[in-house]
Amino acid sequence: MSVLAERNATTQVMVGHVPVGGDAPIVVQSMTNTDTTDAAATADQICALADAGSELVRITVNTAEAAKAVPAIRDRVRNSGCSVPIVGDFHYNGHKLLTDIPECAEALDKYRINPGNVGHGKNRDDRFTAICRIAAERNKPVRIGVNVGSLNQELVVSKMQENTDRDLGRAPEDIISDCMVISALQSTELALDSGLRPDQIIISCKSSTPRQLLQVYRDLAAQCDQPLHLGLTEAGMGAKGLIWSSTALGILLAEGIGDTIRVSLTPQPGGDRRDEVYAACEILQSLGLRSFAPSITACPGCGRTTSTTFQELAEHVQAHVRAQMPRWRSQYPGVENLKLAVMGCVVNGPGESKAANIGISLPGTGEAPSCPVFIDGEKHTTLSGSPAELAEAFCRLVDDYVERRYA
């Protein structure tokens, strides 16, 4: 019996050719960190993120120069054979950019609007409405993206004052959470009044703490049937960002909440932006919700595995699979279900190797210097040699298996 709840959203929104919500698969999203005015670099990164598994890619559109570069970015991406939908991220001046540069409005597949920083008072509603009307005229979907770091302060002050005046005794974090949901729902109503259809609206309410994110999305899901974009905003670097994002998103996804996700990792200087895509794919794959790439089982190592050979081999195999996936994905349907194992000693090595489609059990400390390889549960061969020779031979077996099994 599945431990996953039924999906919450019943409305489905088309973003380019990608369906979001309803009974569609949960979609992986990412965002570029290039200067959008550099059309070549931005297009290259969009394609790299798509190759890694991203199904929607968002770009910053913050200046007239960036907006004017969007059509060239779109053309470069499409001319390279990449069809991933491109989303424009607008803050403060989106109404002006989309009005003044209509070719940008047309080139994008979706607009992201943050209702907390569109403007203040009547200006906020007028500017928000202007973006929604442009989206309606061009039949583009929007994401109404509320963020705890840029929440409508007029709403927050009002609710805080109400808490004091009525002596409600509510914690500030709970009031902030309520304000996020209120902002999202009120903005959705304004978007509908501006001419958008329900099947053009996706909602998000992002926080930087898992507990608040859980509270906000549970409340939001109970009050709407729009597709919901999940993400722990400003999740952080390294293990912290991965763990906090996985905890929050995993719980919500298991409860049936969420239709598209992004893992907002802070990269190391010069780090690989694709890491956030790999993380999102692994979260969905770990829950059995999607399959994106062959899974690789590898032991953590212990006193039995004083050699680093199994670690080097596991790293090499993972890099090889990621490099091959853009081609494998198009040529070998079903390859994402392949299971590999790279094990470091005799304790669990043979068993895990037999359970995988292809597995190798390396010798631990004091074990005979041989590496049995199992294919579909049966011993196929024994490999030996340097780490580089083992990696080459094992990856060759993997390639042969893929071509034979998934052709």
Side-chain angles (χ1 to χ4, degrees), residues 296-350:
I296 303 171
T297 300
C299 72
C302 67
R304 291 176 174 269
T305 55
T306 51
S307 167
T308 61
T309 300
F310 83 95
Q311 297 163 298
E312 295 167 23
L313 179 58
E315 185 176 49
H316 187 100
V317 172
Q318 179 170 276
H320 179 76
V321 167
R322 285 179 174 175
Q324 295 300 317
M325 273 310 294
R327 180 175 65 87
W328 284 356
R329 192 178 292 119
S330 62
Q331 293 185 7
Y332 303 112
V335 70
E336 64 274 7
N337 298 310
L338 177 67
K339 292 180 172 58
L340 307 176
V342 178
M343 303 301 294
C345 81
V346 73
V347 173
N348 293 316

Side-chain angles (χ1 to χ4, degrees), residues 234-238 241 264-268 273 276:
E234 292 96 34
M237 298 183 75
S264 301
L265 298 178
T266 303
Q268 297 283 349
R273 192 62 166 183
E276 68 174 43

Side-chain angles (χ1 to χ4, degrees), residues 3 27 42 58-59 61 65 68 72 78 86 93 119 231 233 256 274 278 287 297 318 332 375 390:
V3 297
V27 173
T42 302
R58 184 158 46 111
I59 63 174
V61 187
E65 292 74 20
K68 290 174 182 176
R78 299 294 176 253
I86 302 172
N93 59 353
T233 189
R274 295 174 297 177
Y278 298 136
L287 293 169
T297 300
Q318 179 170 276
Y332 303 112
I375 295 182
L390 285 174

Side-chain angles (χ1 to χ4, degrees), residues 338-392:
L338 177 67
K339 292 180 172 58
L340 307 176
V342 178
M343 303 301 294
C345 81
V346 73
V347 173
N348 293 316
E352 291 283 4
S353 297
K354 290 177 183 177
N357 296 114
I358 309 178
I360 183 170
S361 180
L362 275 68
T365 303
E367 294 176 18
S370 61
C371 309
V373 175
F374 299 85
I375 295 182
D376 290 333
E378 301 293 332
K379 185 176 178 181
H380 175 74
T381 189
T382 300
L383 300 179
S384 61
S386 68
E389 291 169 334
L390 285 174
E392 182 180 352

